[in-house]
Amino acid sequence: MDHQEDETRIDFLQRLETDISWYIMSFLDDPADLVRASAVSRFWQQFVIANGLAKQLCLRKYPQLSNIVGIVNPNDGTVESIENNSTVQWEILERIQKVYASLLQAITKSKVSPKDCIAYAISASSTDNYPEESIVNTLNPRDRFIMRASYWSSKGQSDPEVPETLIYKLRASIWVITEIDIQPFEAFFQQGRPIYSAKFVRFRVGHPKSSSEIGNYLQMLPLQEPADDNFVWTYTSPEFPMVQENRLQPFKLPEPVLCIGGYLQIELLGRVQTQETDGLFYICVCHVRVLGRPLFPAFDVDILEPDGKLLLKCYPENLCSVLKSSSINEVPHLRHLEEEMMWERIGLLGELLQGPNNPIIFDEDDDEEVNEGLVL
């Protein structure tokens, strides 16, 4: 009986046309399914690798990855092209399969807790009073800094529909962004304590059009002119309503977003609050936090000029670091990094407000107040 059953079993991948087999296998939407399929038989393994199923799954889930034209071999720095699979050696096809499967795993299966991933502020589309109301203030989680109000303010507008944009650099070139939090500013020093929120908010992620040009800009941060035209935005979120409340408001993205290039734009749409003294509409933001999971140091990207194509760098030995959750032993180290980042931001705020020749001296009470605001 068993012998008869063996004779009636059919491997559909070997019987069907390649296009039909590929269409059927394209319904596998989990990297673990591709691993299981590769384990069925040698023929199935060869089919999965030769047809680049892991790569195709990546491109369906994250279209931004379609700009990858090569994978950098970490052993010798050579670039393995992925643009023409028909002429690629089998060993390279296997490596491409492993890289994309690992990338999918890092994006979708990571247990690392989301972290604040902003490195520094790049630009605001307008600033009312610089440096007192600079975008740099939005990196401070509190609404006061050295006995002063801490917030960014747009210029006033008679038209409440005039938008504003804020641009930030993330701490690495490749992140999975899950949430952006924004706290509108409550002007506690004005009568009635008005809150200068926006009506809606929208987010974009992307990379610079030119790495060399943006490098020149980064020497003069924060920029005092709109910088939006210097970037290619590869993802645009839906609009989210913002409420006129003095609290950190979370905006969870519908799906985790792959940010390649490390730049985030916040678009503030519509104004709701006028200032009593001039009757103009303003938008003011107290604090911005971007939560995401880093793919570095397991993955990194180089952006090629002038067409914006990507070279993907993969370091398999670091894959575990972007998959596992933080252990208790890692928490003190993470807190140390958070403290370092906080003091860097405080130094920049102090330099903006008082100038490099008039350093700010903190006493012990100041130190305790800052440390109380640190959150892991």
Side-chain angles (χ1 to χ4, degrees):
M1 187 66 177
D2 293 341
H3 179 68
Q4 291 177 344
E5 288 182 358
D6 288 340
E7 290 181 344
T8 59
R9 289 174 182 168
I10 297 174
D11 185 344
F12 71 88
L13 287 186
Q14 298 188 51
R15 294 297 185 95
L16 297 176
E17 296 291 335
T18 301
D19 291 346
I20 299 176
S21 297
W22 185 91
Y23 175 75
I24 295 172
M25 297 291 282
S26 69
F27 285 93
L28 298 177
D29 60 357
D30 189 297
D33 292 335
L34 292 179
V35 173
R36 295 187 188 100
S38 298
V40 170
S41 67
R42 183 177 296 276
F43 183 84
W44 279 50
Q45 181 188 46
Q46 292 174 344
F47 185 92
V48 168
I49 294 173
N51 289 278
L53 294 188
K55 173 186 173 183
Q56 299 305 321
L57 179 56
C58 270
L59 298 187
R60 288 201 306 273
K61 288 181 172 290
Y62 304 98
Q64 307 97 310
L65 296 173
S66 61
N67 282 333
I68 294 177
V69 296
I71 296 175
V72 178
N73 188 326
N75 296 323
D76 55 17
T78 58
V79 178
E80 297 164 352
S81 174
I82 63 171
E83 292 190 304
N84 187 359
N85 282 5
S86 62
T87 61
V88 175
Q89 297 178 357
W90 180 255
E91 293 78 9
I92 297 179
L93 287 177
E94 286 185 301
R95 170 166 163 73
I96 292 173
Q97 169 74 12
K98 290 179 181 178
V99 168
Y100 275 102
S102 298
L103 181 58
L104 266 176
Q105 187 182 17
I107 294 173
T108 61
K109 304 296 184 181
S110 174
K111 296 181 180 179
V112 174
S113 299
K115 298 177 174 62
D116 183 0
C117 50
I118 292 181
Y120 42 83
I122 298 293
S123 71
S125 51
S126 75
T127 301
D128 192 36
N129 296 300
Y130 183 84
E132 290 84 359
E133 297 172 339
S134 166
I135 182 179
V136 173
N137 292 326
T138 64
L139 304 180
N140 177 17
R142 298 187 175 188
D143 61 0
R144 291 172 175 83
F145 176 71
I146 317 178
M147 306 301 291
R148 305 185 191 204
S150 176
Y151 62 98
W152 162 81
S153 174
S154 71
K155 291 186 178 295
Q157 298 286 346
S158 58
D159 181 1
E161 300 306 315
V162 175
E164 298 284 348
T165 57
L166 306 175
I167 298 178
Y168 298 88
K169 175 70 175 71
L170 307 185
R171 283 191 273 167
S173 296
I174 182 165
W175 283 80
V176 179
I177 306 299
T178 56
E179 178 181 319
I180 296 100
D181 302 337
I182 303 175
Q183 181 172 348
F185 179 66
E186 179 183 67
F188 53 83
F189 48 82
Q190 293 182 356
Q191 185 175 0
R193 303 174 72 95
I195 300 173
Y196 293 91
S197 66
K199 291 181 180 178
F200 298 93
V201 63
R202 183 165 56 201
F203 309 106
R204 293 185 173 93
V205 300
H207 59 81
K209 291 180 179 178
S210 169
S211 299
S212 56
E213 290 183 10
I214 200 66
N216 295 331
Y217 277 114
L218 297 183
Q219 298 178 17
M220 303 175 289
L221 294 180
L223 302 179
Q224 295 308 298
E225 58 186 29
D228 306 72
D229 292 340
N230 295 305
F231 297 90
V232 175
W233 303 114
T234 57
Y235 167 83
T236 301
S237 77
E239 293 183 11
F240 298 89
M242 177 179 282
V243 295
Q244 196 175 7
E245 296 178 4
N246 177 26
R247 61 180 175 84
L248 192 61
Q249 301 178 29
F251 301 98
K252 293 184 179 295
L253 300 174
E255 295 288 341
V257 173
L258 183 62
C259 177
I260 298 178
Y263 288 84
L264 169 81
Q265 180 201 71
I266 297 176
E267 189 173 13
L268 301 159
L269 306 169
R271 302 164 186 242
V272 298
Q273 183 66 52
T274 58
Q275 183 173 242
E276 184 177 359
T277 56
D278 59 12
L280 297 178
F281 288 90
Y282 291 81
I283 300 177
C284 300
V285 173
C286 173
H287 181 46
V288 171
R289 181 176 66 179
V290 179
L291 297 179
R293 298 190 302 272
L295 297 183
F296 183 85
F299 295 93
D300 201 358
V301 292
D302 283 340
I303 301 174
L304 305 177
E305 298 184 19
D307 54 8
K309 298 296 184 181
L310 306 173
L311 291 180
L312 179 65
K313 298 179 179 179
C314 177
Y315 304 93
E317 66 275 13
N318 297 329
L319 185 59
C320 287
S321 67
V322 301
L323 289 176
K324 65 180 182 179
S325 58
S326 300
S327 67
I328 296 177
N329 294 332
E330 291 176 299
V331 171
H333 175 63
L334 293 175
R335 180 171 179 82
H336 174 69
L337 293 178
E338 293 288 339
E339 289 180 355
E340 273 193 353
M341 183 175 64
M342 179 64 71
W343 282 111
E344 286 178 2
R345 292 174 177 178
I346 288 173
L348 180 56
L349 283 170
E351 187 171 316
L352 283 174
L353 292 174
Q354 298 207 3
N357 297 323
N358 297 289
I360 298 170
I361 306 300
F362 295 97
D363 58 27
E364 292 182 359
D365 293 335
D366 294 326
D367 183 70
E368 290 177 1
E369 182 178 342
V370 170
N371 284 333
E372 287 173 2
L374 294 173
V375 178
L376 290 180

